[in-house]
Amino acid sequence: MRSITRLLAVAVLMTAAAACGSSDSGGSSNSGGGGATAGGSSMKVGLAYDIGGRGDQSFNDSAAAGLDKAKKDFGLADTRELEAATGETDAQKEERLRLLADAGYDPIIAVGFAYATSLKKVAGEFPDVNFAIVDDASVTANNISNLVFADEQGSFLVGAAAGLKTTKNNVGFVGGVQVPLIKKFEVGYAQGVKHVKPDTKIQTKYLTQPPDFSGFADPAKGKTAAEGMYDAGADIVYQAAGGSGAGVFEAAKSANAWAIGVDSDQALTASADVRDRILTSMVKKVDVAVYDFIGSNVNGNVQTGTVMYDLAKNGVDYATTGGHVDDIKAQLDELKQQIIDGEIKVAAS
């Protein structure tokens, strides 16, 4: 009966996809179906987004960029993207991954640590399917690749930029949800600030506490938090808050202050009216990790287990768009090299 139920669910999914064209669950896309284009690949790639999905201008969009590049470079004929809903259960995440696997998608990429519990169960049900999870190393299996990043290293660099650029010796950090992953961003940022300007005050605010993950998709709450920091004397605020970061940028614009983006080079992806207030961004190359994983499946050399993207592997970095950090670039690049060489140890917690 379970198998019949799954097959019926898959049929419903596919029927809905056909009816909606390139849209499914509010954000899935399908570039074809059942076979390769001329000179392309018959591989079917599935991607399950975190809260916010494609269009969040940050974490999910970076994953989407990796998929888009892989589709083009490898000639992928069939890809499917499914979105998460705010407040959903692990069972709902399981069903999303299960639908993709039942429909023949392989590999499947789960974007975000929130999929860990669900992926562990579903990967066990489909041992011949290759799965990857972004930002989690806790769930392990012979068919799971853990794509993780040295977020603290990239955050150190934008923290150093904030320390070098602040004129008020007062900066802020807005985290989406207070979980160990986002704590890495806060800790690295604070270490970078203090490394270059020890007497700087650092204000910190998390938007929500688990199990409430809406802090990654609440721009109004992000704006309120940043406004409080600017009102309290901060002139630069770093956000690691997913879609909520858009509110931080709005607050920076209103205060004629600076904000620091995250995951993507947000001076290129944020709303045009706030881009001039983005000092730099901590670029976390989720796009590279997603692209590499798909490529390894195409080429038949998949690496399971932990795959770390750090400064040494160019997996994290700081952005220079807008030219706002050009005057301190030499200092930041020196710090980057010191981290790569092990002269500076960046804490993660």
Side-chain angles (χ1 to χ4, degrees), residues 29 76 99 116 119 134 139 141 151 153 183 204 207-208 212 224 245 275 298 304 315 323:
S29 63
L76 302 178
L99 284 170
L119 179 60
V134 179
V139 54
D151 306 295
Q153 293 182 355
K183 189 69 177 178
T204 300
L207 302 181
T208 61
D212 180 1
T224 298
R275 292 180 185 179
V298 171
T304 58

Side-chain angles (χ1 to χ4, degrees), residues 13 48-49 67 80 150 190 204 233 258 260:
L13 175 67
Y49 287 115
L67 177 63
R80 183 159 301 284
T204 300
W258 290 111
I260 295 176

Side-chain angles (χ1 to χ4, degrees), residues 283 285 288 309-317 336:
V283 181
K285 300 185 180 179
V288 173
Y309 289 84
D310 57 10
L311 279 177
K313 288 188 176 180
N314 198 31
V316 293
D317 209 340
K336 181 198 297 188

